[in-house]
Amino acid sequence: MQTAVDTWTNSTTAPTSARLLEIFRSMMTARLLDEKLAALYRAGKIHGGVFLGKGQEALSAALGQALRRTDVFAPLIRDGAGRLAFGETVVEALRSCLGSPQGPMRSRDGNVHRGRPRDGYLPMISHLGAMISVVGGMLLSRRLRGRRGDIGATCIGDGGVSTGAFHEAVNLAAVEKLPLVIVVANNHYAYSTPIEKQTACRSLVDKAVGYGVQGHTADGTDIVDCCKVIGEAVNRARAGEGPQLVVAELLRLCGHGEHDDANYIDRRLKETTIGRDCLDVARETLQERNIMDAEAIAQLRAEITREIESAVQQVIKEGGPDPFAHDWCALATRRLADPPL
Amino acid sequence: MQTAVDTWTNSTTAPTSARLLEIFRSMMTARLLDEKLAALYRAGKIHGGVFLGKGQEALSAALGQALRRTDVFAPLIRDGAGRLAFGETVVEALRSCLGSPQGPMRSRDGNVHRGRPRDGYLPMISHLGAMISVVGGMLLSRRLRGRRGDIGATCIGDGGVSTGAFHEAVNLAAVEKLPLVIVVANNHYAYSTPIEKQTACRSLVDKAVGYGVQGHTADGTDIVDCCKVIGEAVNRARAGEGPQLVVAELLRLCGHGEHDDANYIDRRLKETTIGRDCLDVARETLQERNIMDAEAIAQLRAEITREIESAVQQVIKEGGPDPFAHDWCALATRRLADPPL
Amino acid sequence: MSITYLNAIREAQRHLLETDQRVLIYGQDVGLFGGAFKATKGLAEVFPDRVMDAPISEDAIVGTAIGAAIEGLRPIVEMQFADFSTVGFNQIANNAGAFFWRTGVPVPLTVRLPSGGTSGGGPFHSQSLEAVYAHYPGLVVMTPATVSDAYSMLIEAVTIDDPVIFCEHKYLYYHLKADTLEPETLPAGKARIARTGRDATVVTYSAMLHEVLEVAKELANEDVELEIIDLRTVKPLDTDTVIASVARTGRLLCAAEAWPWGGVSAEIIARIANEGFHLLDAPPRRVNAKDTPIPYHPDLWSIHRPAARSILLAVRELLRI
Amino acid sequence: MSITYLNAIREAQRHLLETDQRVLIYGQDVGLFGGAFKATKGLAEVFPDRVMDAPISEDAIVGTAIGAAIEGLRPIVEMQFADFSTVGFNQIANNAGAFFWRTGVPVPLTVRLPSGGTSGGGPFHSQSLEAVYAHYPGLVVMTPATVSDAYSMLIEAVTIDDPVIFCEHKYLYYHLKADTLEPETLPAGKARIARTGRDATVVTYSAMLHEVLEVAKELANEDVELEIIDLRTVKPLDTDTVIASVARTGRLLCAAEAWPWGGVSAEIIARIANEGFHLLDAPPRRVNAKDTPIPYHPDLWSIHRPAARSILLAVRELLRI
Ligand SMILES: Cc1ncc(C[n+]2csc(CCOP(=O)(O)OP(=O)(O)O)c2C)c(N)n1
Ligand SMILES: Cc1ncc(C[n+]2csc(CCOP(=O)(O)OP(=O)(O)O)c2C)c(N)n1
Ligand SMILES: [Mg+2]
Ligand SMILES: [Mg+2]
């Protein structure tokens, strides 16, 4: 790494096979689910848009897997894999994307804007950077109530780092020394905008020192490195060392949304290491390490495909909401709702 | 300095006597004007508040003096000295503070919210950090129109650095490599809030590397150091090296406003170098360097006092606005004003 | 004993901290310093963990409070001035406002906005932003006008499971005093008839109530009796109380310190014009601030905002007297 | 030839860039990519210096544009969605809005807000924020409803010396087409009578115009003739045109896609109730979106927003037919 930041860390803790396997399963599921979502979108079954995580599954799943169910997780657009690793089911993901009234967002919100706050799983609002401080507040609350040991984790892109919301929230977390892991997926583009138009710094991890937090970098295409670096950051946060900023380098191997062909992505970048498909890399790693052979992987793939297909059938059968029976009250305190005008 | 940031710069260019003298004059004028404003406030002649710059005159004046009249300057709360050094007259400052209709803000805005945008002198809005991007936009505009050689300068406090506006604006300036000097007056408090509650970084200049801009630190109590460091930053900006972040250490030797006794400021801090009164330091420096002797300084002081007294007389005599004759139209395009309701 | 509007806000917060472990105060300088207006003075000494100084980061302050509220705390955010809430606007409107509707998880957050004009406040320390927040769904917006309401409504705000924007008026902080703190029995969402009368209904809230009361006193000398309604909450709006009053008086004037376009006055008139059209004997009117930024000079300011004098003129026109 | 509302916006910008060296387009992905909706497609190729990609920094984007405008440029900011302008709210409302009044120096800035609902847009990609901006002094707020207006009004917006909030409707982007781009002759601030009628006046703007036109067509079969007013600009509001129409019809309905509280409908009704009270033969009504965040599911969304069906019901109630 190019910077001389002394908070730089690089653990060598080797991830266990069990962890890699779990991560791999989430990655594979996310990839196949994304493909299905894209197909549903093209078939007109999903309105609005679908936003995919192709190429970012290793990083995302490594994070979701590193968390405990009592932790707080606020994923972002490209974190289908992390959501699954944190415990979301395929059915639940589909319910949100298809707008099912049985999903956690009850048809009111959907696609990537899904979560279950009561389970520490936060539904993002679209405004980039806005969820970071919310996670911070949850951690602060737990500290105040004497609940220790939980951490929070949240994701952002190279573009989202330019928001004032990111700055304020990371700074506040540092001041309060909150156990927060912020994972920046530097996929070198924010929609079509290349990173040179987003920041002039040499590496986004150079921001760590300015916030007084610990910084880490990871190869976002390598399941093992993601697992190690994120594991390390999570451990440090849990140990009370304050916020951890993880910057992973990778590429988005798809459009910003299914509508976008991403032809703005520099071909030369695609040919570098960060242009690798993390799922291929993971597959090879698992085979090399004799965790899974090609046949087992193919079997897993088939199994997941079946799971997704049956989930799609189920969710489509469940049907949409009844707009006339819908409860149009934005307040928890019903008596304070203004009468309909 | 504690960081290993390689953009660290420390010029040894010695400031000329003429520059020091100009800076000193602005410092002294600002100090005496502040005292007068405080008295006017206590006498009920100024409503709302007065915000003083005591202890920050060297830094502020050094900046104002380093700029050309064609540059852009967006001072903040404690920049009375810099405003004068940039060309504001005592009469004009008083007109704004007393709400004179002949002042540049024509009774509509006042105290520190004053300026003359056509002269490159921007009137702050209260929201901290908001003016930085505006200066950036002016510089961008000049670049687009082929006007080269001008720079922009703006000031912020240790507290203002926590705003999202600061982050977005500095980052944008770095991306566009704008000739912008951002001077952070780290007086260790934001109103009553100590810097430990504002940031966890070791030095605010550590933020420079994260934005990819050049960082500098100065002893804000030392006229010579301020002059050197700011001169260097201004030169680099003008030479096309992009944004320059100057962080100066000092203390505010007064309350946040005249209403505040600042008893929250740590006594021990006051006893360190940063607790020195920059005006005393400057006086000694000028005497040591044989630029001015004690008598000349006393004379200067008397002269400035007379200037201020006569300006106060004049501005008070000019009187206030006629509210019934006032033009209540918020738009430049009169025909598009909504009729009064 | 004499208690100011500001004291009432402090005492409400003290009471809340004392009686509810979940209450947390968060904002710039609210700790040992006691806040820019001293609304939290003396509280950090007693509750050091639950009265916390924040950095100058309105977006993150509100976001943090949302997170704390989701987890079951009852945070009170103090904005240093209402005007600075524009920097935290997105978190309030889009995150706090939509959260319950989207997820079913309540966000019991109170945002205190020191609002309204004072002499010399100028364009950025004088704003009344109730309309901006009331326009967004999912928020309750309170605008207490009396010492008792400042106390009781703040306590109520914190017990409400939804985000409450609590617009407290800076002019009333020191100017408004009461002998005792009578606990208010009207719940949020209910307006109060601050004065009964037969000739016209004047609907108002916050500091303007006191201007209108002055007008009523003056007109009483001419045997004109104004009925005055203090809205207390501007979202929800207690249209019923207003309609019932207009049914008695036949005439409606709304007086509010905020800018006119889309303000509380416009909303009230739109409702009464619709629901109480046939009760009106004359066109409903409004008096608002002028549609410009709020001026710094005291003489301009006192013309810019509505005051007894301009309200009196409007009432005379309404009554054709 | 057939030109969409979106094409019109692009062509207006092309025309502006071609004819005025001071015009600059700034926003996320507006450069070679041509913008999230392709409203700037092909422009960066021709004007590489004046069509600039911005970082994800709405506050700084607007601040930068203000600076450029002060210096004499004519920046057009594209927000990726209107909803994200809440993050740049402070710069728009407090810095741009107050600047001319405070300093006498104009800020000729245009902020394009891709507004309004589309199927599946959800709570944060569907908002109509005209009322929030119209409440603040110092801003002009435009809401074009037709292809010609999208073109002509955008050109006019950029020539205006004040900050203009240009609310263009995303639903109309592709759905609305015209055969030619007829230059509009009505200036900003003037409403258009989109259809003449005798039985009731329906005031609307932006995408809702087309829903209302549908209703009018349907009612024409029953020999009911609606007069339809397309406001075009919501600040300033052309009250005169509305009053003149109400004078003819005696009945008023306002239909708007935004939330009800303090919206354009409320403001219109408040004005007509005041200035045109005696012209009204029935209580003025409004139809707005429901007061909740905008739902994601298409079926909920189509009930949440006003549409021909709900507007028709309201008109029937207004006319008691
Ligand atoms: C405040 C804000 N501005 C604009 C957008 C629109 N937007 C959605 S995603 C995106 C690009 C995000 O880029 P990055 O953060 O790098 O994440 P990536 O898409 O590359 O994963 C933009 C501009 C937004 N969601 N929020
Ligand atoms: C966005 C915003 N929030 C809050 C305030 C209120 N405020 C005015 S000055 C100040 C303290 C500023 O501290 P600092 O930036 O360190 O500057 P100093 O006063 O020390 O010179 C605060 C909180 C403000 N002006 N803007
Ligand atoms: Mg990216
Ligand atoms: Mg400070």
Side-chain angles (χ1 to χ4, degrees), chain D residues 37-75:
Chain D
F37 295 97
K38 304 293 168 204
T40 57
K41 193 169 177 201
L43 302 182
E45 283 85 345
V46 189
F47 308 99
D49 295 342
R50 291 193 286 134
V51 183
M52 292 178 59
D53 280 333
I56 307 183
S57 303
E58 280 78 4
D59 185 279
I61 288 172
V62 179
T64 301
I66 292 171
I70 292 171
E71 283 281 299
L73 295 190
R74 300 262 156 183

Side-chain angles (χ1 to χ4, degrees), chain B residues 157-159 185 187-191:
Chain B
D158 44 297
N187 62 15
H188 296 252
Y189 288 86
Y191 211 151

Side-chain angles (χ1 to χ4, degrees), chain B residues 2 6-7 24 34 38 43 68 106 117 119 136 141 144 158 160 168 182 192 266 268 296 301 314 319 325 332:
Chain B
Q2 54 273 67
D6 69 357
T7 51
F24 181 68
D34 267 7
R68 300 183 185 151
R106 299 161 303 152
D119 299 335
S141 161
L144 282 171
D158 44 297
E168 294 192 358
I182 305 119
S192 75
D266 190 333
R268 283 160 306 179
R301 191 191 160 93
Q314 176 191 336

Side-chain angles (χ1 to χ4, degrees), chain D residues 83-107:
Chain D
D83 316 53
F84 301 140
S85 72
T86 50
V87 187
F89 184 59
N90 183 56
Q91 291 284 8
I92 299 176
N94 279 318
N95 216 349
F99 204 88
F100 171 74
W101 196 78
R102 295 167 66 228
T103 65
V105 175
V107 182

Side-chain angles (χ1 to χ4, degrees), chain A residues 294-316:
Chain A
E295 200 183 326
I297 292 176
Q299 247 170 26
L300 179 66
R301 191 191 160 94
E303 182 193 314
I304 294 171
T305 305
R306 277 193 305 275
E307 183 191 356
I308 292 173
E309 286 304 331
S310 95
V312 169
Q313 297 312 317
Q314 176 191 334
V315 173
I316 286 182

Side-chain angles (χ1 to χ4, degrees), chain A residues 72 104-109 113-118 120 122-127 129-142 144-145 147 164-169 171-172 175-176 326-341, chain C residues 24 26 49-50 52-73 87 90-91 94-95 97 99-106 137-140 142 156 160-163 187-189 233-239 267 271 275:
Chain A
V72 176
M105 310 311 280
R106 301 161 299 152
S107 319
R108 293 172 172 190
D109 206 344
H113 309 87
R114 63 187 196 261
R116 289 196 182 271
R118 291 271 185 246
L122 279 178
M124 61 180 275
I125 64 169
S126 301
H127 304 71
M131 301 312 293
I132 309 174
S133 58
V134 178
V135 179
M138 292 175 77
L139 298 173
L140 200 67
S141 162
R142 293 182 184 196
L144 282 171
R145 290 180 309 154
R147 179 166 157 190
F166 169 89
H167 174 71
E168 294 191 358
N171 183 59
L172 195 156
V175 167
E176 296 295 340
H326 201 77
D327 181 14
W328 297 102
C329 177
L331 295 183
T333 318
R334 304 191 72 85
R335 69 178 166 86
L336 291 179
D338 236 7
L341 294 172
Chain C
L24 166 74
Y26 195 46
D49 295 342
R50 292 192 285 135
M52 294 177 59
D53 280 333
I56 307 182
S57 302
E58 281 76 5
D59 185 278
I61 288 171
V62 178
T64 300
I66 292 172
I70 292 171
E71 282 281 297
L73 295 189
V87 187
N90 183 55
Q91 291 283 8
N94 279 319
N95 216 347
F99 203 88
F100 171 74
W101 196 78
R102 294 168 64 229
T103 66
V105 175
L139 305 171
V140 171
M142 296 184 175
E156 192 178 4
I160 288 173
D161 272 346
D162 294 287
T233 334
V234 304
K235 188 162 189 189
L237 262 181
D238 183 0
T239 322
E267 182 61 29
R271 292 191 191 199
E275 299 175 43

Side-chain angles (χ1 to χ4, degrees), chain B residues 56 78 156-160 185-191 193 195 198 250 252, chain C residues 56:
Chain B
Q56 306 196 184
R78 312 207 184 280
I156 192 98
D158 44 297
N186 177 11
N187 62 15
H188 296 252
Y189 288 86
Y191 211 151
T193 305
I195 187 148
Q198 200 70 240
L250 37 61
R252 149 160 71 73
Chain C
I56 307 182

Side-chain angles (χ1 to χ4, degrees), chain B residues 9 44 59 63-64 67-68 75 114 122 129 142 157 171 192 196 208 219 244 256 312 315 337:
Chain B
T9 56
L59 178 68
L63 179 60
L67 300 175
R68 300 183 185 151
R114 63 186 194 261
L122 278 179
R142 290 180 186 197
N171 183 61
S192 75
E196 308 81 59
D219 174 349
Q244 308 290 317
H256 172 63
V312 170
V315 172

